[in-house]
Amino acid sequence: MSAALAIDMADAEPIVHKVTRVLRQAIVTMRIKPGEMVSEQEIATKLGVSRQPVREAFIRLGEAGLLRVLPQRGTLVVKISRAAVEDARFIREAVECAVAREAARKTGPRARTVLQDNLFRQKRAAREKDPEAFFTLDEEFHRLLAEIAGRPSAWRVIEDVKPQMDRVRYLDMTDAMPMRALIDQHGAITSAVLSGDALAAEGAMRHHLTEILRSLPRVAEQHADLFE
């Protein structure tokens, strides 16, 4: 495993949460690829931590469908499952369309500030052709909508079901054109939310979350070695 990994030891977040977050990000952004074997000891050494938080992170990532323990062989990064991607998208649509409706009903000055700032930074990441930064901002955009709606727990539920979907989304973001298309979709959601139009917000979110259904066959064909 050659991926560069690091954690910030300065904040008070529990070590196991930091390790889990860093490993998940590395897997989603293909710095650790599907089909690759990972070692507790090697990752602990790279991160400068003991093996215990790495072991716990492996368990969590296994529950998320990203890692699988192979007896007598080690731990494998699971390849992408199209069925799991489609299931995650179905759940996201159900939850996030409701979030978009609620956000439109509860919008206000803070919503305008945080959403427009996020869109500005998305555009900068797209100009710089930085898919990893864009992916982080995409996540932030959806989390902000849940906060505006007063449903932060909805985003935590989504985070638990979408890691397989995230890898496809990231692969699709490696071209600048999909980033521009996603910014346009985020802009449509933002406009509907800020205008207080709950039905339009729901419709814009639904259109946005069906994007992966259009891109999944192409991504699976172009990266067949990364899929089950």
Side-chain angles (χ1 to χ4, degrees), residues 55-88:
R55 184 175 300 116
E56 291 182 38
F58 274 24
I59 292 170
R60 295 183 182 195
L61 294 171
E63 292 170 348
L66 291 176
L67 296 180
R68 181 183 303 136
V69 176
L70 302 179
Q72 311 303 319
R73 293 179 57 192
T75 302
L76 175 76
V77 179
V78 175
K79 290 195 173 187
I80 301 168
S81 161
R82 288 185 63 162
V85 171
E86 291 166 357
D87 283 349

PDB file of all heavy atoms in Angstrom, residues 55-88:
ATOM      1  N   ARG A  55      -7.435  -1.383  14.195  1.00  0.00           N
ATOM      2  CA  ARG A  55      -8.285  -2.585  14.209  1.00  0.00           C
ATOM      3  C   ARG A  55      -9.761  -2.189  14.323  1.00  0.00           C
ATOM      4  O   ARG A  55     -10.610  -2.722  13.615  1.00  0.00           O
ATOM      5  CB  ARG A  55      -7.864  -3.491  15.363  1.00  0.00           C
ATOM      6  CG  ARG A  55      -8.616  -4.831  15.412  1.00  0.00           C
ATOM      7  CD  ARG A  55      -8.057  -5.729  16.495  1.00  0.00           C
ATOM      8  NE  ARG A  55      -6.657  -6.017  16.263  1.00  0.00           N
ATOM      9  CZ  ARG A  55      -5.655  -5.643  17.074  1.00  0.00           C
ATOM     10  NH1 ARG A  55      -5.921  -4.952  18.179  1.00  0.00           N
ATOM     11  NH2 ARG A  55      -4.407  -5.947  16.793  1.00  0.00           N
ATOM     12  N   GLU A  56     -10.050  -1.227  15.210  1.00  0.00           N
ATOM     13  CA  GLU A  56     -11.438  -0.777  15.365  1.00  0.00           C
ATOM     14  C   GLU A  56     -11.936  -0.088  14.095  1.00  0.00           C
ATOM     15  O   GLU A  56     -13.099  -0.258  13.701  1.00  0.00           O
ATOM     16  CB  GLU A  56     -11.547   0.170  16.556  1.00  0.00           C
ATOM     17  CG  GLU A  56     -11.333  -0.516  17.898  1.00  0.00           C
ATOM     18  CD  GLU A  56     -11.506   0.447  19.066  1.00  0.00           C
ATOM     19  OE1 GLU A  56     -12.407   1.309  18.992  1.00  0.00           O
ATOM     20  OE2 GLU A  56     -10.743   0.339  20.040  1.00  0.00           O
ATOM     21  N   ALA A  57     -11.069   0.681  13.444  1.00  0.00           N
ATOM     22  CA  ALA A  57     -11.453   1.333  12.193  1.00  0.00           C
ATOM     23  C   ALA A  57     -11.741   0.300  11.113  1.00  0.00           C
ATOM     24  O   ALA A  57     -12.696   0.445  10.336  1.00  0.00           O
ATOM     25  CB  ALA A  57     -10.339   2.277  11.732  1.00  0.00           C
ATOM     26  N   PHE A  58     -10.951  -0.758  11.064  1.00  0.00           N
ATOM     27  CA  PHE A  58     -11.189  -1.842  10.097  1.00  0.00           C
ATOM     28  C   PHE A  58     -12.574  -2.452  10.323  1.00  0.00           C
ATOM     29  O   PHE A  58     -13.293  -2.755   9.363  1.00  0.00           O
ATOM     30  CB  PHE A  58     -10.118  -2.917  10.238  1.00  0.00           C
ATOM     31  CG  PHE A  58      -8.855  -2.656   9.448  1.00  0.00           C
ATOM     32  CD1 PHE A  58      -8.498  -1.366   9.077  1.00  0.00           C
ATOM     33  CD2 PHE A  58      -8.029  -3.705   9.089  1.00  0.00           C
ATOM     34  CE1 PHE A  58      -7.332  -1.129   8.349  1.00  0.00           C
ATOM     35  CE2 PHE A  58      -6.868  -3.484   8.358  1.00  0.00           C
ATOM     36  CZ  PHE A  58      -6.506  -2.198   7.998  1.00  0.00           C
ATOM     37  N   ILE A  59     -12.942  -2.643  11.585  1.00  0.00           N
ATOM     38  CA  ILE A  59     -14.258  -3.216  11.895  1.00  0.00           C
ATOM     39  C   ILE A  59     -15.363  -2.295  11.380  1.00  0.00           C
ATOM     40  O   ILE A  59     -16.323  -2.738  10.736  1.00  0.00           O
ATOM     41  CB  ILE A  59     -14.406  -3.451  13.409  1.00  0.00           C
ATOM     42  CG1 ILE A  59     -13.455  -4.573  13.861  1.00  0.00           C
ATOM     43  CG2 ILE A  59     -15.856  -3.798  13.766  1.00  0.00           C
ATOM     44  CD1 ILE A  59     -13.346  -4.717  15.371  1.00  0.00           C
ATOM     45  N   ARG A  60     -15.228  -1.007  11.627  1.00  0.00           N
ATOM     46  CA  ARG A  60     -16.241  -0.038  11.189  1.00  0.00           C
ATOM     47  C   ARG A  60     -16.333   0.009   9.661  1.00  0.00           C
ATOM     48  O   ARG A  60     -17.434   0.078   9.103  1.00  0.00           O
ATOM     49  CB  ARG A  60     -15.922   1.352  11.746  1.00  0.00           C
ATOM     50  CG  ARG A  60     -16.000   1.413  13.267  1.00  0.00           C
ATOM     51  CD  ARG A  60     -15.741   2.812  13.779  1.00  0.00           C
ATOM     52  NE  ARG A  60     -15.781   2.832  15.251  1.00  0.00           N
ATOM     53  CZ  ARG A  60     -15.882   3.937  15.967  1.00  0.00           C
ATOM     54  NH1 ARG A  60     -15.949   5.120  15.373  1.00  0.00           N
ATOM     55  NH2 ARG A  60     -15.916   3.886  17.287  1.00  0.00           N
ATOM     56  N   LEU A  61     -15.181  -0.011   9.015  1.00  0.00           N
ATOM     57  CA  LEU A  61     -15.187   0.040   7.554  1.00  0.00           C
ATOM     58  C   LEU A  61     -15.675  -1.273   6.947  1.00  0.00           C
ATOM     59  O   LEU A  61     -16.234  -1.286   5.849  1.00  0.00           O
ATOM     60  CB  LEU A  61     -13.786   0.388   7.039  1.00  0.00           C
ATOM     61  CG  LEU A  61     -13.322   1.808   7.409  1.00  0.00           C
ATOM     62  CD1 LEU A  61     -11.853   1.997   7.061  1.00  0.00           C
ATOM     63  CD2 LEU A  61     -14.175   2.853   6.709  1.00  0.00           C
ATOM     64  N   GLY A  62     -15.498  -2.358   7.682  1.00  0.00           N
ATOM     65  CA  GLY A  62     -16.084  -3.618   7.251  1.00  0.00           C
ATOM     66  C   GLY A  62     -17.602  -3.560   7.318  1.00  0.00           C
ATOM     67  O   GLY A  62     -18.302  -4.024   6.399  1.00  0.00           O
ATOM     68  N   GLU A  63     -18.126  -2.969   8.390  1.00  0.00           N
ATOM     69  CA  GLU A  63     -19.576  -2.814   8.525  1.00  0.00           C
ATOM     70  C   GLU A  63     -20.144  -1.897   7.449  1.00  0.00           C
ATOM     71  O   GLU A  63     -21.300  -2.045   7.032  1.00  0.00           O
ATOM     72  CB  GLU A  63     -19.906  -2.269   9.912  1.00  0.00           C
ATOM     73  CG  GLU A  63     -19.614  -3.259  11.033  1.00  0.00           C
ATOM     74  CD  GLU A  63     -19.714  -2.640  12.418  1.00  0.00           C
ATOM     75  OE1 GLU A  63     -19.789  -1.382  12.503  1.00  0.00           O
ATOM     76  OE2 GLU A  63     -19.705  -3.389  13.414  1.00  0.00           O
ATOM     77  N   ALA A  64     -19.319  -0.960   6.969  1.00  0.00           N
ATOM     78  CA  ALA A  64     -19.747  -0.042   5.910  1.00  0.00           C
ATOM     79  C   ALA A  64     -19.628  -0.656   4.527  1.00  0.00           C
ATOM     80  O   ALA A  64     -19.991  -0.019   3.539  1.00  0.00           O
ATOM     81  CB  ALA A  64     -18.920   1.244   5.982  1.00  0.00           C
ATOM     82  N   GLY A  65     -19.097  -1.876   4.457  1.00  0.00           N
ATOM     83  CA  GLY A  65     -18.995  -2.562   3.178  1.00  0.00           C
ATOM     84  C   GLY A  65     -17.759  -2.215   2.370  1.00  0.00           C
ATOM     85  O   GLY A  65     -17.698  -2.519   1.166  1.00  0.00           O
ATOM     86  N   LEU A  66     -16.749  -1.626   3.012  1.00  0.00           N
ATOM     87  CA  LEU A  66     -15.549  -1.241   2.278  1.00  0.00           C
ATOM     88  C   LEU A  66     -14.389  -2.218   2.468  1.00  0.00           C
ATOM     89  O   LEU A  66     -13.505  -2.292   1.608  1.00  0.00           O
ATOM     90  CB  LEU A  66     -15.097   0.158   2.712  1.00  0.00           C
ATOM     91  CG  LEU A  66     -16.027   1.307   2.288  1.00  0.00           C
ATOM     92  CD1 LEU A  66     -15.522   2.628   2.870  1.00  0.00           C
ATOM     93  CD2 LEU A  66     -16.146   1.393   0.776  1.00  0.00           C
ATOM     94  N   LEU A  67     -14.363  -2.937   3.585  1.00  0.00           N
ATOM     95  CA  LEU A  67     -13.296  -3.893   3.862  1.00  0.00           C
ATOM     96  C   LEU A  67     -13.881  -5.268   4.133  1.00  0.00           C
ATOM     97  O   LEU A  67     -15.015  -5.385   4.599  1.00  0.00           O
ATOM     98  CB  LEU A  67     -12.467  -3.449   5.070  1.00  0.00           C
ATOM     99  CG  LEU A  67     -11.671  -2.143   4.964  1.00  0.00           C
ATOM    100  CD1 LEU A  67     -10.921  -1.885   6.274  1.00  0.00           C
ATOM    101  CD2 LEU A  67     -10.710  -2.178   3.797  1.00  0.00           C
ATOM    102  N   ARG A  68     -13.081  -6.301   3.857  1.00  0.00           N
ATOM    103  CA  ARG A  68     -13.493  -7.672   4.152  1.00  0.00           C
ATOM    104  C   ARG A  68     -12.276  -8.455   4.638  1.00  0.00           C
ATOM    105  O   ARG A  68     -11.208  -8.400   4.017  1.00  0.00           O
ATOM    106  CB  ARG A  68     -14.061  -8.349   2.903  1.00  0.00           C
ATOM    107  CG  ARG A  68     -14.532  -9.797   3.144  1.00  0.00           C
ATOM    108  CD  ARG A  68     -15.008 -10.447   1.844  1.00  0.00           C
ATOM    109  NE  ARG A  68     -16.070  -9.657   1.246  1.00  0.00           N
ATOM    110  CZ  ARG A  68     -16.142  -9.361  -0.050  1.00  0.00           C
ATOM    111  NH1 ARG A  68     -15.185  -9.757  -0.878  1.00  0.00           N
ATOM    112  NH2 ARG A  68     -17.153  -8.649  -0.518  1.00  0.00           N
ATOM    113  N   VAL A  69     -12.439  -9.143   5.761  1.00  0.00           N
ATOM    114  CA  VAL A  69     -11.355  -9.973   6.296  1.00  0.00           C
ATOM    115  C   VAL A  69     -11.359 -11.315   5.577  1.00  0.00           C
ATOM    116  O   VAL A  69     -12.387 -11.997   5.507  1.00  0.00           O
ATOM    117  CB  VAL A  69     -11.507 -10.185   7.809  1.00  0.00           C
ATOM    118  CG1 VAL A  69     -10.429 -11.142   8.325  1.00  0.00           C
ATOM    119  CG2 VAL A  69     -11.437  -8.853   8.551  1.00  0.00           C
ATOM    120  N   LEU A  70     -10.204 -11.684   5.040  1.00  0.00           N
ATOM    121  CA  LEU A  70     -10.035 -12.975   4.383  1.00  0.00           C
ATOM    122  C   LEU A  70      -9.212 -13.859   5.309  1.00  0.00           C
ATOM    123  O   LEU A  70      -8.032 -13.567   5.562  1.00  0.00           O
ATOM    124  CB  LEU A  70      -9.318 -12.810   3.036  1.00  0.00           C
ATOM    125  CG  LEU A  70      -9.995 -11.880   2.021  1.00  0.00           C
ATOM    126  CD1 LEU A  70      -9.153 -11.798   0.748  1.00  0.00           C
ATOM    127  CD2 LEU A  70     -11.400 -12.366   1.695  1.00  0.00           C
ATOM    128  N   PRO A  71      -9.785 -14.923   5.865  1.00  0.00           N
ATOM    129  CA  PRO A  71      -9.050 -15.787   6.801  1.00  0.00           C
ATOM    130  C   PRO A  71      -7.719 -16.259   6.228  1.00  0.00           C
ATOM    131  O   PRO A  71      -7.637 -16.663   5.055  1.00  0.00           O
ATOM    132  CB  PRO A  71     -10.013 -16.960   7.017  1.00  0.00           C
ATOM    133  CG  PRO A  71     -11.369 -16.381   6.757  1.00  0.00           C
ATOM    134  CD  PRO A  71     -11.169 -15.376   5.656  1.00  0.00           C
ATOM    135  N   GLN A  72      -6.701 -16.154   7.034  1.00  0.00           N
ATOM    136  CA  GLN A  72      -5.339 -16.593   6.699  1.00  0.00           C
ATOM    137  C   GLN A  72      -4.674 -15.746   5.623  1.00  0.00           C
ATOM    138  O   GLN A  72      -3.558 -16.029   5.216  1.00  0.00           O
ATOM    139  CB  GLN A  72      -5.324 -18.075   6.232  1.00  0.00           C
ATOM    140  CG  GLN A  72      -6.065 -19.034   7.132  1.00  0.00           C
ATOM    141  CD  GLN A  72      -5.543 -18.997   8.564  1.00  0.00           C
ATOM    142  OE1 GLN A  72      -4.341 -18.917   8.790  1.00  0.00           O
ATOM    143  NE2 GLN A  72      -6.460 -19.037   9.526  1.00  0.00           N
ATOM    144  N   ARG A  73      -5.348 -14.698   5.141  1.00  0.00           N
ATOM    145  CA  ARG A  73      -4.771 -13.881   4.070  1.00  0.00           C
ATOM    146  C   ARG A  73      -4.608 -12.415   4.450  1.00  0.00           C
ATOM    147  O   ARG A  73      -3.637 -11.775   4.079  1.00  0.00           O
ATOM    148  CB  ARG A  73      -5.617 -13.990   2.793  1.00  0.00           C
ATOM    149  CG  ARG A  73      -5.591 -15.374   2.147  1.00  0.00           C
ATOM    150  CD  ARG A  73      -6.468 -15.400   0.909  1.00  0.00           C
ATOM    151  NE  ARG A  73      -6.068 -14.383  -0.059  1.00  0.00           N
ATOM    152  CZ  ARG A  73      -6.809 -14.041  -1.112  1.00  0.00           C
ATOM    153  NH1 ARG A  73      -7.990 -14.608  -1.315  1.00  0.00           N
ATOM    154  NH2 ARG A  73      -6.376 -13.125  -1.950  1.00  0.00           N
ATOM    155  N   GLY A  74      -5.573 -11.854   5.167  1.00  0.00           N
ATOM    156  CA  GLY A  74      -5.495 -10.448   5.531  1.00  0.00           C
ATOM    157  C   GLY A  74      -6.804  -9.729   5.270  1.00  0.00           C
ATOM    158  O   GLY A  74      -7.864 -10.354   5.179  1.00  0.00           O
ATOM    159  N   THR A  75      -6.716  -8.420   5.117  1.00  0.00           N
ATOM    160  CA  THR A  75      -7.909  -7.588   4.935  1.00  0.00           C
ATOM    161  C   THR A  75      -7.897  -6.982   3.542  1.00  0.00           C
ATOM    162  O   THR A  75      -6.910  -6.375   3.120  1.00  0.00           O
ATOM    163  CB  THR A  75      -7.970  -6.486   5.997  1.00  0.00           C
ATOM    164  OG1 THR A  75      -7.969  -7.097   7.303  1.00  0.00           O
ATOM    165  CG2 THR A  75      -9.228  -5.653   5.843  1.00  0.00           C
ATOM    166  N   LEU A  76      -9.009  -7.135   2.852  1.00  0.00           N
ATOM    167  CA  LEU A  76      -9.141  -6.726   1.448  1.00  0.00           C
ATOM    168  C   LEU A  76     -10.057  -5.511   1.333  1.00  0.00           C
ATOM    169  O   LEU A  76     -11.101  -5.439   1.992  1.00  0.00           O
ATOM    170  CB  LEU A  76      -9.737  -7.882   0.647  1.00  0.00           C
ATOM    171  CG  LEU A  76     -10.075  -7.633  -0.831  1.00  0.00           C
ATOM    172  CD1 LEU A  76      -8.798  -7.631  -1.664  1.00  0.00           C
ATOM    173  CD2 LEU A  76     -11.034  -8.711  -1.344  1.00  0.00           C
ATOM    174  N   VAL A  77      -9.680  -4.554   0.487  1.00  0.00           N
ATOM    175  CA  VAL A  77     -10.584  -3.462   0.119  1.00  0.00           C
ATOM    176  C   VAL A  77     -11.581  -4.026  -0.890  1.00  0.00           C
ATOM    177  O   VAL A  77     -11.203  -4.487  -1.966  1.00  0.00           O
ATOM    178  CB  VAL A  77      -9.821  -2.276  -0.489  1.00  0.00           C
ATOM    179  CG1 VAL A  77     -10.795  -1.166  -0.889  1.00  0.00           C
ATOM    180  CG2 VAL A  77      -8.785  -1.751   0.491  1.00  0.00           C
ATOM    181  N   VAL A  78     -12.846  -4.018  -0.524  1.00  0.00           N
ATOM    182  CA  VAL A  78     -13.884  -4.646  -1.334  1.00  0.00           C
ATOM    183  C   VAL A  78     -14.047  -3.891  -2.649  1.00  0.00           C
ATOM    184  O   VAL A  78     -13.998  -2.662  -2.694  1.00  0.00           O
ATOM    185  CB  VAL A  78     -15.220  -4.665  -0.559  1.00  0.00           C
ATOM    186  CG1 VAL A  78     -16.353  -5.214  -1.418  1.00  0.00           C
ATOM    187  CG2 VAL A  78     -15.069  -5.480   0.716  1.00  0.00           C
ATOM    188  N   LYS A  79     -14.264  -4.631  -3.723  1.00  0.00           N
ATOM    189  CA  LYS A  79     -14.539  -3.990  -5.006  1.00  0.00           C
ATOM    190  C   LYS A  79     -15.948  -3.388  -4.985  1.00  0.00           C
ATOM    191  O   LYS A  79     -16.771  -3.708  -4.133  1.00  0.00           O
ATOM    192  CB  LYS A  79     -14.378  -4.993  -6.147  1.00  0.00           C
ATOM    193  CG  LYS A  79     -12.929  -5.409  -6.382  1.00  0.00           C
ATOM    194  CD  LYS A  79     -12.730  -6.093  -7.724  1.00  0.00           C
ATOM    195  CE  LYS A  79     -11.240  -6.330  -7.982  1.00  0.00           C
ATOM    196  NZ  LYS A  79     -10.995  -6.844  -9.352  1.00  0.00           N
ATOM    197  N   ILE A  80     -16.209  -2.503  -5.919  1.00  0.00           N
ATOM    198  CA  ILE A  80     -17.471  -1.766  -5.938  1.00  0.00           C
ATOM    199  C   ILE A  80     -18.601  -2.677  -6.405  1.00  0.00           C
ATOM    200  O   ILE A  80     -18.477  -3.376  -7.409  1.00  0.00           O
ATOM    201  CB  ILE A  80     -17.363  -0.547  -6.868  1.00  0.00           C
ATOM    202  CG1 ILE A  80     -16.239   0.378  -6.395  1.00  0.00           C
ATOM    203  CG2 ILE A  80     -18.691   0.217  -6.917  1.00  0.00           C
ATOM    204  CD1 ILE A  80     -15.865   1.457  -7.396  1.00  0.00           C
ATOM    205  N   SER A  81     -19.690  -2.651  -5.674  1.00  0.00           N
ATOM    206  CA  SER A  81     -20.883  -3.435  -6.010  1.00  0.00           C
ATOM    207  C   SER A  81     -21.925  -2.513  -6.632  1.00  0.00           C
ATOM    208  O   SER A  81     -22.374  -1.543  -6.000  1.00  0.00           O
ATOM    209  CB  SER A  81     -21.456  -4.083  -4.747  1.00  0.00           C
ATOM    210  OG  SER A  81     -22.801  -4.467  -4.942  1.00  0.00           O
ATOM    211  N   ARG A  82     -22.327  -2.793  -7.870  1.00  0.00           N
ATOM    212  CA  ARG A  82     -23.351  -1.974  -8.516  1.00  0.00           C
ATOM    213  C   ARG A  82     -24.669  -2.042  -7.743  1.00  0.00           C
ATOM    214  O   ARG A  82     -25.368  -1.033  -7.603  1.00  0.00           O
ATOM    215  CB  ARG A  82     -23.560  -2.421  -9.970  1.00  0.00           C
ATOM    216  CG  ARG A  82     -22.411  -2.052 -10.880  1.00  0.00           C
ATOM    217  CD  ARG A  82     -22.674  -2.392 -12.330  1.00  0.00           C
ATOM    218  NE  ARG A  82     -23.806  -1.656 -12.890  1.00  0.00           N
ATOM    219  CZ  ARG A  82     -24.022  -1.511 -14.196  1.00  0.00           C
ATOM    220  NH1 ARG A  82     -23.175  -2.030 -15.071  1.00  0.00           N
ATOM    221  NH2 ARG A  82     -25.075  -0.845 -14.628  1.00  0.00           N
ATOM    222  N   ALA A  83     -24.986  -3.227  -7.218  1.00  0.00           N
ATOM    223  CA  ALA A  83     -26.232  -3.364  -6.453  1.00  0.00           C
ATOM    224  C   ALA A  83     -26.202  -2.496  -5.208  1.00  0.00           C
ATOM    225  O   ALA A  83     -27.200  -1.838  -4.862  1.00  0.00           O
ATOM    226  CB  ALA A  83     -26.462  -4.830  -6.084  1.00  0.00           C
ATOM    227  N   ALA A  84     -25.053  -2.458  -4.512  1.00  0.00           N
ATOM    228  CA  ALA A  84     -24.934  -1.633  -3.312  1.00  0.00           C
ATOM    229  C   ALA A  84     -25.018  -0.145  -3.652  1.00  0.00           C
ATOM    230  O   ALA A  84     -25.594   0.641  -2.894  1.00  0.00           O
ATOM    231  CB  ALA A  84     -23.627  -1.936  -2.591  1.00  0.00           C
ATOM    232  N   VAL A  85     -24.461   0.236  -4.795  1.00  0.00           N
ATOM    233  CA  VAL A  85     -24.536   1.628  -5.239  1.00  0.00           C
ATOM    234  C   VAL A  85     -25.991   2.017  -5.483  1.00  0.00           C
ATOM    235  O   VAL A  85     -26.463   3.078  -5.052  1.00  0.00           O
ATOM    236  CB  VAL A  85     -23.695   1.839  -6.515  1.00  0.00           C
ATOM    237  CG1 VAL A  85     -23.941   3.236  -7.097  1.00  0.00           C
ATOM    238  CG2 VAL A  85     -22.211   1.654  -6.214  1.00  0.00           C
ATOM    239  N   GLU A  86     -26.719   1.155  -6.171  1.00  0.00           N
ATOM    240  CA  GLU A  86     -28.124   1.451  -6.490  1.00  0.00           C
ATOM    241  C   GLU A  86     -28.983   1.488  -5.230  1.00  0.00           C
ATOM    242  O   GLU A  86     -29.883   2.330  -5.101  1.00  0.00           O
ATOM    243  CB  GLU A  86     -28.643   0.433  -7.495  1.00  0.00           C
ATOM    244  CG  GLU A  86     -28.000   0.594  -8.878  1.00  0.00           C
ATOM    245  CD  GLU A  86     -28.233  -0.593  -9.790  1.00  0.00           C
ATOM    246  OE1 GLU A  86     -28.856  -1.575  -9.341  1.00  0.00           O
ATOM    247  OE2 GLU A  86     -27.791  -0.542 -10.953  1.00  0.00           O
ATOM    248  N   ASP A  87     -28.706   0.604  -4.273  1.00  0.00           N
ATOM    249  CA  ASP A  87     -29.447   0.613  -3.008  1.00  0.00           C
ATOM    250  C   ASP A  87     -29.192   1.914  -2.241  1.00  0.00           C
ATOM    251  O   ASP A  87     -30.118   2.520  -1.684  1.00  0.00           O
ATOM    252  CB  ASP A  87     -29.037  -0.575  -2.134  1.00  0.00           C
ATOM    253  CG  ASP A  87     -29.659  -1.886  -2.590  1.00  0.00           C
ATOM    254  OD1 ASP A  87     -30.560  -1.853  -3.451  1.00  0.00           O
ATOM    255  OD2 ASP A  87     -29.230  -2.944  -2.088  1.00  0.00           O
ATOM    256  N   ALA A  88     -27.921   2.332  -2.194  1.00  0.00           N
ATOM    257  CA  ALA A  88     -27.576   3.563  -1.477  1.00  0.00           C
ATOM    258  C   ALA A  88     -28.246   4.772  -2.121  1.00  0.00           C
ATOM    259  O   ALA A  88     -28.741   5.664  -1.430  1.00  0.00           O
ATOM    260  CB  ALA A  88     -26.063   3.750  -1.453  1.00  0.00           C
TER     261      ALA A  88
END
